[in-house]
Amino acid sequence: IMFHELEEMLCEITGFDVELGQAVAEKLGVELRLQPIEWDSKVLELNAGNIDMIWNGLSITDERLLQMSFSDPYLNNRQIVLVQNDMTISEVSDLVGLKVGVQIDSSGQSVLQDNAVYATIGEMVQFNSFNDALLDLDSGRIDAIVIDEIMARYVVSQNTYSVVVTDVSLGDDVYGVGFRLEDTVLRDRIDAILDELYDEGIVSQISIKWFGEDVFLD
């Protein structure tokens, strides 16, 4: 996400994070520019100034804390397994021998590689985007995806793919907004605005719209 004064707002990209970012931009008195990026180049894009923040289901990890500054956590999340709707798995060990998709440089990839089951899966297949992974899962070219639960449940709610969310989790984490390490003033301003939006009930309205309940961390 990039903030620009006098920039036309791009509205074709939607979602919880987008609407929350738009509400923050209004409070800042700027317009919002949404900039798609290659996920594995996110730190480079941020440090090069091509974007001002990363606000798209970004899990806070120890490794990323060395590369960027984070807002306060705003959503709880899990890394879960998504499969075709005719497959049933009930535990992590059920991934043995399967082709498992991940987004490159995602938290899902990290937790899968850190899990003991990684040595027993058939193959880990890396994708530039979850959309690409979902297409391969839907067509049967892979057997499962390790993905953020929040994103997975949204995907399933859209009924675009014949996939289901399992209760198999490879780890818990939290979402935050990522900034350049030196941009602490902007980070603190965004945190303050998010607190204001929470107190005004706006965050709750956005959360209920997208998730059916208020999942924002106060």
Side-chain angles (χ1 to χ4, degrees):
I1 289 178
M2 193 172 207
F3 286 129
H4 278 283
E5 294 186 18
L6 305 178
E7 284 280 0
E8 181 178 358
M9 186 178 295
L10 305 181
C11 298
E12 62 269 27
I13 304 174
T14 62
F16 172 77
D17 282 330
V18 172
E19 286 204 22
L20 194 57
Q22 288 170 342
V24 168
E26 290 177 9
K27 284 276 190 181
L28 280 173
V30 299
E31 293 199 33
L32 183 69
R33 179 178 175 184
L34 305 176
Q35 179 65 52
I37 59 171
E38 294 291 337
W39 193 244
D40 58 335
S41 300
K42 56 188 172 294
V43 177
L44 293 174
E45 295 277 1
L46 187 64
N47 289 335
N50 297 326
I51 55 175
D52 294 318
M53 62 193 70
I54 304 169
W55 197 336
N56 182 32
L58 181 65
S59 299
I60 301 175
T61 66
D62 290 341
E63 180 182 2
R64 288 173 179 166
L65 284 168
L66 298 176
Q67 301 171 317
M68 64 186 80
S69 176
F70 274 92
S71 69
D72 292 334
Y74 66 92
L75 281 181
N76 282 323
N77 187 43
R78 295 191 303 165
Q79 298 298 324
I80 58 89
V81 178
L82 196 65
V83 297
Q84 287 185 313
N85 57 12
D86 59 353
M87 178 183 286
T88 301
I89 69 172
S90 58
E91 54 190 31
V92 174
S93 62
D94 290 334
L95 294 175
V96 172
L98 300 185
K99 293 179 69 174
V100 183
V102 296
Q103 185 182 35
I104 296 173
D105 198 35
S106 67
S107 296
Q109 177 178 338
S110 296
V111 297
L112 177 60
Q113 291 177 313
D114 289 344
N115 195 286
V117 78
Y118 179 65
T120 67
I121 64 173
E123 181 183 356
M124 183 182 76
V125 185
Q126 296 176 299
F127 295 89
N128 287 324
S129 73
F130 278 125
N131 284 337
D132 293 339
L134 285 161
L135 287 170
D136 272 22
L137 178 61
D138 196 43
S139 65
R141 288 189 290 270
I142 59 175
D143 302 305
I145 301 173
V146 179
I147 186 173
D148 295 344
E149 182 176 20
I150 289 171
M151 181 180 297
R153 294 197 180 281
Y154 174 72
V155 166
V156 170
S157 74
Q158 300 305 296
N159 296 313
T160 303
Y161 303 97
S162 299
V163 297
V164 293
V165 175
T166 73
D167 198 38
V168 177
S169 171
L170 279 80
D172 299 335
D173 58 23
V174 290
Y175 282 172
V177 184
F179 304 85
R180 286 178 285 272
L181 285 171
E182 65 271 19
D183 283 350
T184 55
V185 173
L186 177 60
R187 178 202 64 196
D188 293 347
R189 181 64 180 131
I190 299 299
D191 275 338
I193 291 175
L194 286 172
D195 287 342
E196 291 175 21
L197 292 171
Y198 180 84
D199 292 340
E200 294 167 3
I202 295 174
V203 169
S204 178
Q205 293 172 12
I206 298 172
S207 180
I208 291 170
K209 173 183 175 180
W210 287 100
F211 304 126
E213 59 182 311
D214 187 357
V215 298
F216 192 84
L217 296 174
D218 58 0

